[in-house]
Amino acid sequence: MKKISLKEVIKNITNKHLKKYKTLIYGQNLLGVGQVAGTLPKDLTEKDGVIDLPMADVAGGGIVAGTALMGSRPFYIIRYQGYNWFNMIFIVNYACKSKAIWKNPAPIFIRGIANEGSVGPVAGSTHISQFYKMPGIKIFSPITPKEYKNVYDKFCKDDEVYYVSEHRKTYDNDYEFKNMFFKKAKVTVLLNSITRHAAMDIKNYFKKKKKAVSIIHMYKLKPFILSRKEIDQLKKTQKSILICDDDYVDGIPSLIASKILNLNLKAKIHLLGLPPKTAGHHPRVDVLPPSSKKIIKEIEKII
Protein backbone atom coordinates (compact mmCIF):
# COMPACT_ATOMS: atom_id res chain seq x y z
CA MET A 1 0.00 0.00 0.00
CA LYS A 2 1.40 3.38 -1.04
CA LYS A 3 2.21 5.72 1.82
CA ILE A 4 0.51 9.10 1.87
CA SER A 5 2.20 12.18 3.34
CA LEU A 6 0.72 14.62 5.82
CA LYS A 7 0.67 17.20 3.02
CA GLU A 8 -1.53 14.95 0.87
CA VAL A 9 -3.83 14.19 3.79
CA ILE A 10 -4.39 17.91 4.37
CA LYS A 11 -5.15 18.36 0.65
CA ASN A 12 -7.68 15.53 0.69
CA ILE A 13 -9.36 16.80 3.85
CA THR A 14 -9.57 20.29 2.35
CA ASN A 15 -11.31 19.04 -0.80
CA LYS A 16 -13.64 16.83 1.19
CA HIS A 17 -14.54 19.65 3.60
CA LEU A 18 -15.31 22.20 0.90
CA LYS A 19 -17.65 19.80 -0.89
CA LYS A 20 -19.38 18.47 2.23
CA TYR A 21 -20.06 21.76 4.00
CA LYS A 22 -20.17 24.16 1.01
CA THR A 23 -17.98 26.43 3.08
CA LEU A 24 -15.00 28.77 2.71
CA ILE A 25 -11.26 28.66 3.36
CA TYR A 26 -9.78 31.95 4.55
CA GLY A 27 -6.18 33.10 4.72
CA GLN A 28 -3.54 35.32 3.16
CA ASN A 29 -1.89 34.56 -0.19
CA LEU A 30 -3.60 31.16 -0.42
CA LEU A 31 -3.73 31.21 -4.21
CA GLY A 32 -0.18 32.47 -4.60
CA VAL A 33 3.03 30.58 -5.23
CA GLY A 34 3.30 27.34 -3.28
CA GLN A 35 -0.35 26.96 -2.23
CA VAL A 36 0.59 27.13 1.47
CA ALA A 37 3.64 24.85 1.24
CA GLY A 38 1.76 22.51 -1.07
CA THR A 39 -1.06 21.77 1.37
CA LEU A 40 -3.82 23.25 -0.82
CA PRO A 41 -4.89 21.61 -4.09
CA LYS A 42 -3.49 23.64 -7.03
CA ASP A 43 -6.75 23.68 -8.95
CA LEU A 44 -8.79 25.42 -6.21
CA THR A 45 -10.05 28.93 -6.99
CA GLU A 46 -12.26 31.57 -5.43
CA LYS A 47 -15.25 29.83 -7.03
CA ASP A 48 -14.41 26.77 -4.93
CA GLY A 49 -14.48 28.83 -1.77
CA VAL A 50 -10.85 29.92 -1.32
CA ILE A 51 -10.82 33.48 -0.02
CA ASP A 52 -7.57 35.46 -0.04
CA LEU A 53 -7.82 37.95 2.81
CA PRO A 54 -6.13 41.38 2.74
CA MET A 55 -2.96 41.83 4.77
CA ALA A 56 -4.89 43.41 7.66
CA ASP A 57 -4.31 40.53 10.06
CA VAL A 58 -6.60 41.73 12.84
CA ALA A 59 -9.67 41.93 10.57
CA GLY A 60 -9.33 38.38 9.24
CA GLY A 61 -10.38 36.67 12.46
CA GLY A 62 -13.54 38.74 12.65
CA ILE A 63 -14.54 37.81 9.09
CA VAL A 64 -13.98 34.12 9.83
CA ALA A 65 -15.89 34.30 13.12
CA GLY A 66 -18.87 35.79 11.27
CA THR A 67 -18.84 32.94 8.76
CA ALA A 68 -18.61 30.37 11.57
CA LEU A 69 -21.64 31.84 13.33
CA MET A 70 -23.66 30.87 10.25
CA GLY A 71 -22.76 27.23 10.93
CA SER A 72 -20.64 26.65 7.82
CA ARG A 73 -17.48 25.39 9.63
CA PRO A 74 -14.86 27.48 7.78
CA PHE A 75 -11.14 26.76 7.58
CA TYR A 76 -8.82 29.58 8.65
CA ILE A 77 -5.15 29.37 7.65
CA ILE A 78 -2.60 31.43 9.59
CA ARG A 79 0.60 31.06 7.59
CA TYR A 80 2.92 32.02 10.44
CA GLN A 81 2.03 31.28 14.04
CA GLY A 82 3.66 34.48 15.19
CA TYR A 83 0.69 36.23 13.56
CA ASN A 84 -1.62 34.58 16.11
CA TRP A 85 -1.20 37.73 18.15
CA PHE A 86 -3.15 39.63 15.49
CA ASN A 87 -5.35 36.98 13.87
CA MET A 88 -6.73 35.42 17.05
CA ILE A 89 -8.25 38.51 18.68
CA PHE A 90 -11.82 38.01 17.44
CA ILE A 91 -11.51 34.23 17.52
CA VAL A 92 -10.78 33.95 21.26
CA ASN A 93 -12.94 36.91 22.28
CA TYR A 94 -15.98 36.17 20.16
CA ALA A 95 -16.08 32.82 18.35
CA CYS A 96 -14.80 30.88 21.38
CA LYS A 97 -17.31 32.53 23.73
CA SER A 98 -20.40 32.66 21.52
CA LYS A 99 -21.61 29.18 22.47
CA ALA A 100 -21.42 29.86 26.20
CA ILE A 101 -23.00 33.32 26.08
CA TRP A 102 -25.60 33.10 23.29
CA LYS A 103 -25.93 29.31 22.77
CA ASN A 104 -24.69 29.91 19.23
CA PRO A 105 -21.51 27.89 18.54
CA ALA A 106 -18.96 29.07 15.97
CA PRO A 107 -16.89 26.01 14.97
CA ILE A 108 -13.71 26.93 13.07
CA PHE A 109 -10.86 24.68 11.93
CA ILE A 110 -7.78 26.87 12.31
CA ARG A 111 -4.52 25.82 10.70
CA GLY A 112 -1.70 27.71 12.40
CA ILE A 113 1.65 27.00 10.76
CA ALA A 114 4.90 27.19 12.72
CA ASN A 115 8.32 27.64 11.17
CA GLU A 116 11.80 28.74 12.21
CA GLY A 117 14.94 29.90 10.47
CA SER A 118 15.65 33.47 9.39
CA VAL A 119 12.00 34.54 9.56
CA GLY A 120 12.53 37.40 11.98
CA PRO A 121 11.24 38.49 15.40
CA VAL A 122 7.48 38.24 14.72
CA ALA A 123 6.67 35.34 12.39
CA GLY A 124 8.66 32.39 13.74
CA SER A 125 8.14 29.53 16.18
CA THR A 126 5.04 28.23 17.95
CA HIS A 127 2.59 30.67 19.54
CA ILE A 128 -0.23 28.79 21.23
CA SER A 129 0.26 29.53 24.90
CA GLN A 130 -1.16 33.06 24.77
CA PHE A 131 -4.69 31.77 24.17
CA TYR A 132 -4.36 28.29 25.70
CA LYS A 133 -6.13 29.46 28.86
CA MET A 134 -9.18 30.79 27.00
CA PRO A 135 -12.42 28.77 27.25
CA GLY A 136 -14.08 27.44 24.11
CA ILE A 137 -10.96 26.43 22.18
CA LYS A 138 -9.34 23.02 21.65
CA ILE A 139 -5.70 22.74 20.61
CA PHE A 140 -3.87 19.93 18.81
CA SER A 141 -0.44 19.57 17.19
CA PRO A 142 -0.68 16.58 14.81
CA ILE A 143 2.36 15.87 12.63
CA THR A 144 1.38 12.51 11.09
CA PRO A 145 -1.36 11.52 8.61
CA LYS A 146 -3.28 9.42 11.14
CA GLU A 147 -3.13 12.09 13.85
CA TYR A 148 -4.37 14.78 11.48
CA LYS A 149 -7.30 12.65 10.29
CA ASN A 150 -8.18 11.92 13.90
CA VAL A 151 -8.30 15.63 14.78
CA TYR A 152 -10.37 16.50 11.71
CA ASP A 153 -12.88 13.72 12.42
CA LYS A 154 -13.28 15.02 15.98
CA PHE A 155 -13.88 18.52 14.66
CA CYS A 156 -16.67 17.33 12.36
CA LYS A 157 -18.51 15.86 15.36
CA ASP A 158 -17.89 18.88 17.61
CA ASP A 159 -19.09 22.48 17.72
CA GLU A 160 -16.01 24.11 19.24
CA VAL A 161 -13.16 26.14 17.77
CA TYR A 162 -10.20 23.87 16.90
CA TYR A 163 -6.68 25.26 16.65
CA VAL A 164 -4.47 22.82 14.75
CA SER A 165 -0.82 23.66 15.27
CA GLU A 166 1.17 22.57 12.20
CA HIS A 167 4.85 22.82 11.35
CA ARG A 168 6.20 23.30 7.83
CA LYS A 169 8.99 20.79 8.37
CA THR A 170 6.51 17.96 9.04
CA TYR A 171 4.46 18.10 5.81
CA ASP A 172 6.45 15.31 4.15
CA ASN A 173 5.87 12.91 7.05
CA ASP A 174 4.29 9.71 5.74
CA TYR A 175 4.77 7.54 8.82
CA GLU A 176 3.44 7.31 12.37
CA PHE A 177 5.40 7.79 15.58
CA LYS A 178 5.40 5.24 18.37
CA ASN A 179 6.05 5.79 22.06
CA MET A 180 8.92 3.90 23.62
CA PHE A 181 8.55 2.67 27.20
CA PHE A 182 10.96 1.21 29.77
CA LYS A 183 9.84 -0.10 33.17
CA LYS A 184 12.88 1.40 34.87
CA ALA A 185 13.37 4.50 32.76
CA LYS A 186 15.77 7.04 34.23
CA VAL A 187 14.25 9.76 32.04
CA THR A 188 11.01 10.06 30.07
CA VAL A 189 10.99 12.65 27.29
CA LEU A 190 7.72 14.28 26.20
CA LEU A 191 8.07 15.64 22.68
CA ASN A 192 5.76 18.10 20.95
CA SER A 193 5.60 19.49 17.41
CA ILE A 194 8.89 19.57 15.46
CA THR A 195 10.90 18.27 18.43
CA ARG A 196 9.26 14.89 17.77
CA HIS A 197 11.60 14.50 14.79
CA ALA A 198 14.37 13.99 17.36
CA ALA A 199 12.77 10.77 18.66
CA MET A 200 14.76 8.32 16.50
CA ASP A 201 18.08 9.99 17.30
CA ILE A 202 17.29 9.87 21.02
CA LYS A 203 16.27 6.21 20.77
CA ASN A 204 19.38 5.14 18.86
CA TYR A 205 21.81 7.11 20.99
CA PHE A 206 20.65 5.77 24.35
CA LYS A 207 20.19 2.26 23.00
CA LYS A 208 23.92 2.21 22.25
CA LYS A 209 24.63 3.65 25.69
CA LYS A 210 22.34 0.99 27.25
CA LYS A 211 20.47 3.65 29.17
CA ALA A 212 16.70 3.46 29.66
CA VAL A 213 15.12 6.61 28.21
CA SER A 214 11.41 6.50 27.40
CA ILE A 215 9.72 8.69 24.78
CA ILE A 216 6.13 9.97 24.69
CA HIS A 217 4.73 11.77 21.64
CA MET A 218 2.19 14.51 22.41
CA TYR A 219 -0.38 16.12 20.16
CA LYS A 220 -3.59 16.39 22.21
CA LEU A 221 -2.73 19.60 24.01
CA LYS A 222 -6.08 21.07 25.09
CA PRO A 223 -7.74 19.21 26.60
CA PHE A 224 -4.40 17.65 27.51
CA ILE A 225 -4.87 13.90 27.14
CA LEU A 226 -2.49 11.11 28.06
CA SER A 227 -3.31 7.42 27.74
CA ARG A 228 -3.28 5.12 30.79
CA LYS A 229 0.00 3.58 29.58
CA GLU A 230 1.59 7.04 29.21
CA ILE A 231 0.51 8.03 32.72
CA ASP A 232 1.89 4.76 34.13
CA GLN A 233 5.21 5.44 32.37
CA LEU A 234 5.44 8.90 33.91
CA LYS A 235 4.76 7.49 37.37
CA LYS A 236 7.44 4.82 36.94
CA THR A 237 10.11 7.23 35.71
CA GLN A 238 12.91 7.32 38.26
CA LYS A 239 14.82 10.55 37.77
CA SER A 240 13.34 13.15 35.38
CA ILE A 241 10.58 14.00 32.95
CA LEU A 242 11.86 16.27 30.18
CA ILE A 243 9.27 18.30 28.23
CA CYS A 244 10.49 19.58 24.84
CA ASP A 245 8.81 22.04 22.45
CA ASP A 246 9.45 24.81 19.92
CA ASP A 247 7.84 27.35 22.24
CA TYR A 248 9.50 29.35 24.98
CA VAL A 249 9.84 27.49 28.29
CA ASP A 250 7.28 29.80 29.90
CA GLY A 251 4.76 28.75 27.22
CA ILE A 252 3.53 25.26 26.33
CA PRO A 253 6.30 23.40 28.25
CA SER A 254 5.27 25.09 31.51
CA LEU A 255 1.58 24.56 30.80
CA ILE A 256 2.12 20.84 30.17
CA ALA A 257 4.25 20.59 33.30
CA SER A 258 1.38 22.01 35.35
CA LYS A 259 -0.95 19.37 33.88
CA ILE A 260 1.17 16.43 35.02
CA LEU A 261 2.18 17.75 38.45
CA ASN A 262 -0.88 16.17 40.08
CA LEU A 263 0.13 12.63 39.02
CA ASN A 264 2.21 12.15 42.18
CA LEU A 265 5.43 11.70 40.22
CA LYS A 266 8.70 10.49 41.71
CA ALA A 267 10.67 12.23 38.97
CA LYS A 268 11.50 15.91 38.72
CA ILE A 269 10.24 17.89 35.73
CA HIS A 270 12.70 19.61 33.39
CA LEU A 271 11.78 21.89 30.48
CA LEU A 272 13.53 22.51 27.17
CA GLY A 273 12.29 25.02 24.61
CA LEU A 274 13.40 28.10 22.74
CA PRO A 275 16.21 30.19 24.23
CA PRO A 276 14.78 33.37 25.79
CA LYS A 277 15.79 35.85 23.12
CA THR A 278 14.36 37.59 20.07
CA ALA A 279 15.02 36.10 16.62
CA GLY A 280 16.46 37.99 13.68
CA HIS A 281 16.48 37.52 9.90
CA HIS A 282 19.91 35.87 9.67
CA PRO A 283 21.09 32.39 10.70
CA ARG A 284 23.49 33.94 13.20
CA VAL A 285 20.58 35.42 15.11
CA ASP A 286 18.09 32.56 14.74
CA VAL A 287 16.04 31.30 17.67
CA LEU A 288 15.61 27.59 16.97
CA PRO A 289 13.84 24.72 18.76
CA PRO A 290 16.00 22.21 20.63
CA SER A 291 17.77 19.88 18.19
CA SER A 292 18.34 16.15 18.67
CA LYS A 293 21.87 16.95 19.83
CA LYS A 294 20.68 19.48 22.39
CA ILE A 295 17.95 17.19 23.75
CA ILE A 296 20.40 14.29 24.06
CA LYS A 297 22.92 16.54 25.83
CA GLU A 298 20.20 17.65 28.26
CA ILE A 299 19.23 14.04 29.01
CA GLU A 300 22.88 13.13 29.59
CA LYS A 301 23.22 16.04 32.02
CA ILE A 302 20.10 14.93 33.91
CA ILE A 303 21.27 11.32 34.12
Side-chain angles (χ1 to χ4, degrees), residues 2-13:
K2 184 181 177 181
K3 290 185 176 181
I4 182 170
S5 68
L6 176 59
K7 184 188 302 183
E8 293 302 318
V9 166
I10 297 173
K11 281 185 187 178
N12 293 341
I13 284 174

Side-chain angles (χ1 to χ4, degrees), residues 13-111:
I13 284 174
T14 301
N15 265 328
K16 173 185 173 183
H17 192 78
L18 283 171
K19 291 173 183 176
K20 181 177 180 180
Y21 293 100
K22 308 297 181 187
T23 188
L24 302 170
I25 299 174
Y26 292 96
Q28 294 175 353
N29 196 29
L30 301 184
L31 298 172
V33 176
Q35 282 77 41
V36 192
T39 61
L40 286 182
K42 290 183 179 180
D43 56 348
L44 290 181
T45 67
E46 288 184 357
K47 292 181 180 179
D48 300 306
V50 180
I51 307 299
D52 263 330
L53 294 170
M55 303 305 277
D57 294 89
V58 174
I63 295 168
V64 178
T67 303
L69 289 169
M70 302 302 291
S72 68
R73 295 181 173 270
F75 273 26
Y76 187 25
I77 300 174
I78 302 174
R79 294 178 67 106
Y80 295 98
Q81 275 200 31
Y83 298 165
N84 284 349
W85 293 93
F86 318 113
N87 285 270
M88 292 297 291
I89 293 172
F90 289 109
I91 302 294
V92 296
N93 286 300
Y94 200 105
C96 291
K97 299 176 181 178
S98 177
K99 178 182 174 182
I101 298 172
W102 298 291
K103 312 300 180 188
N104 187 11
I108 306 169
F109 192 85
I110 302 168
R111 292 181 51 203

Side-chain angles (χ1 to χ4, degrees), residues 90-278:
F90 289 109
I91 302 294
V92 296
N93 286 300
Y94 200 105
C96 291
K97 299 176 181 178
S98 177
K99 178 182 174 182
I101 298 172
W102 298 291
K103 312 300 180 188
N104 187 11
I108 306 169
F109 192 85
I110 302 168
R111 292 181 51 203
I113 305 170
N115 194 28
E116 299 89 18
S118 302
V119 291
V122 179
S125 306
T126 299
H127 295 261
I128 303 170
S129 49
Q130 73 264 41
F131 52 81
Y132 188 98
K133 65 181 180 179
M134 298 300 288
I137 191 166
K138 295 181 179 179
I139 303 173
F140 304 86
S141 59
I143 68 166
T144 75
K146 188 175 180 179
E147 290 171 358
Y148 206 96
K149 288 177 186 175
N150 180 266
V151 172
Y152 175 73
D153 289 343
K154 286 180 182 294
F155 170 72
C156 291
K157 298 173 185 176
D158 207 346
D159 61 0
E160 303 277 4
V161 174
Y162 274 46
Y163 190 100
V164 182
S165 176
E166 302 176 12
H167 198 289
R168 281 179 182 262
K169 294 182 177 70
T170 68
Y171 286 144
D172 289 329
N173 290 356
D174 60 1
Y175 50 88
E176 301 299 318
F177 288 90
K178 291 184 179 180
N179 291 336
M180 186 173 68
F181 295 151
F182 291 98
K183 288 183 179 179
K184 296 182 179 180
K186 294 285 186 184
V187 177
T188 294
V189 187
L190 277 74
L191 302 173
N192 183 45
S193 188
I194 192 62
T195 65
R196 293 173 63 187
H197 277 184
M200 189 57 68
D201 291 336
I202 296 168
K203 175 184 175 181
N204 292 337
Y205 180 87
F206 288 102
K207 185 178 180 180
K208 289 180 181 178
K209 294 280 185 177
K210 295 183 179 180
K211 293 180 180 178
V213 175
S214 294
I215 297 171
I216 293 176
H217 292 274
M218 301 184 293
Y219 78 97
K220 299 173 183 177
L221 303 181
K222 184 184 178 184
F224 182 63
I225 298 173
L226 292 171
S227 69
R228 189 180 298 274
K229 288 183 178 180
E230 290 168 340
I231 291 171
D232 287 344
Q233 177 62 58
L234 293 177
K235 288 182 176 180
K236 291 175 183 175
T237 303
Q238 297 176 355
K239 197 169 185 70
S240 175
I241 293 162
L242 177 62
I243 302 171
C244 302
D245 195 20
D246 57 337
D247 190 3
Y248 294 103
V249 166
D250 287 337
I252 289 296
S254 292
L255 289 166
I256 298 304
S258 70
K259 298 290 183 181
I260 63 175
L261 276 174
N262 62 352
L263 295 177
N264 297 318
L265 305 173
K266 293 183 293 184
K268 292 183 178 180
I269 298 176
H270 290 79
L271 309 177
L272 191 59
L274 298 179
K277 62 181 184 180
T278 298

